[in-house]
Structures are given as structure tokens and as C-alpha cells.
Amino acid sequence: DWKAQFETDNGRKPKAADIEADPAISTVYADYMAMKRGDAPDAKKDETPAAATEETKAAEAAPAAEEKDQKKELTKKLNDWKAQFETDNGRKPKAADIEADPAISTVYADYMAMKRGDAPDAKKDETPAAPTEETKAAEAAPAAEDSSRPTTAASPRLPTSRPTLPSPPFTPTTWP
């Protein structure tokens, strides 16, 4: 057992730095920690955990930095548009104003997707299908009445409060 041998040789328990310093045990420890976290063990057995961690951090930092820059750019576009809208109209824009402007509504949608953690680019290429004659007719026609279900218009409305009755006077009773 490596740990017991280390304690015998050094008179103390091994620390993380001791494990990383020993190339034979560092890969075993890295695999153990990966399994403990639920990840698959590293395919690169000759790499020390410290080097693997640095590569992982560098790989994760690049997309995070790009995403941060993109979010800043979207925020700037939104704030510029809001300032211009306020100058032109003498009031702050409302949600309906943002939705009415197709250019800024896509910027706003991308911003909100990034804020939620979604990928904004995933929905950019999807264009909504043009309504067909069938969908237009279905939207225009009133829904067919379902006679098996009662309608709310025919149901009587219950009063919102009940009248209160006076409570009877309290009379003490004796218990046997």
C-alpha cells in the first residue's frame, strides 16, 4: 500500500503535493478522483493531475471569455438602443416596444438566452414556418362547442364571502 509505505518512510500522512510529486501514484489518484466525481478516468495516464487541471482550466476559459465578450456586446447594443428610443420618444421603452423592433428583439432574445445560460446561436438559423391555409382557417374559426363539458357562462357564480351568524352565548357546563 503506497500510503502506508509513505507514512513509514516519512513519519507523516501524505499530502496532495506528495501525491502529485510521485508520477506512479498521481495517475492512480487522478483516476480515483475522477471516478469519485462520476467522471471517466483520464485517457492520458502519463500526465500529472496538475498539468491536466491547467489544460482543463485553459480549455474552459476560452469559451467563457468569448461568451462574456458577446454578452457585453449585446448589453451595449441594448443600452444604446434604449437611450436612442428614450431620446426619440421621451419615455423609456416597454416590452412591446422591444418586440415591435425586429432588429432589437433578436438582440434582446440572444441576451436573455445568454443570461439563462442557453446558446443564443442555436435558434438564430431557425425561421418560423409561414402559416398555411389550414392553420389560418383554424385560427380564424371559433372552436367547436363540446357539449359534454359545462360552460362557465351557464354556471352560477358563488358569493365571495359568506354571511356571518351570531354565535350563541357561552354557557359553562359541568363535567361529571
Side-chain angles (χ1 to χ4, degrees):
D1 178 45
W2 182 87
K3 188 176 178 182
Q5 183 63 39
F6 184 90
E7 287 180 25
T8 306
D9 294 345
N10 298 302
R12 63 179 174 84
K13 292 183 178 183
K15 297 182 180 177
D18 299 322
I19 294 171
E20 291 174 5
D22 187 339
I25 198 66
S26 65
T27 55
V28 174
Y29 183 71
D31 290 347
Y32 165 75
M33 292 305 292
M35 285 190 285
K36 189 174 179 182
R37 285 190 309 268
D39 301 339
D42 259 354
K44 301 177 183 178
K45 295 286 183 184
D46 59 338
E47 194 175 83
T48 62
T53 304
E54 292 303 318
E55 283 182 11
T56 306
K57 286 180 184 177
E60 291 173 354
E66 286 179 18
E67 188 173 310
K68 190 174 181 181
D69 291 343
Q70 187 177 8
K71 189 173 179 184
K72 279 184 180 180
E73 181 182 328
L74 292 173
T75 303
K76 182 172 176 9
K77 285 181 183 179
L78 282 170
N79 288 338
D80 291 346
W81 183 85
K82 287 178 182 179
Q84 185 62 44
F85 184 91
E86 195 168 346
T87 302
D88 294 345
N89 299 301
R91 63 178 176 85
K92 292 185 178 185
K94 296 180 181 176
D97 299 320
I98 293 172
E99 291 171 6
D101 187 335
I104 204 64
S105 65
T106 56
V107 171
Y108 182 73
D110 289 349
Y111 172 80
M112 291 307 291
M114 289 192 86
K115 189 173 182 180
R116 286 189 307 267
D118 300 341
D121 296 330
K123 296 182 181 178
K124 275 189 178 179
D125 296 335
E126 295 177 14
T127 54
T132 63
E133 293 301 319
E134 291 175 358
T135 56
K136 287 179 184 176
E139 290 173 358
E145 293 285 332
D146 185 4
S147 59
S148 65
R149 295 175 50 198
T151 60
T152 56
S155 301
R157 195 155 174 90
L158 296 175
T160 56
S161 64
R162 295 183 185 183
T164 56
L165 299 174
S167 51
F170 177 73
T171 57
T173 58
T174 58
W175 294 92

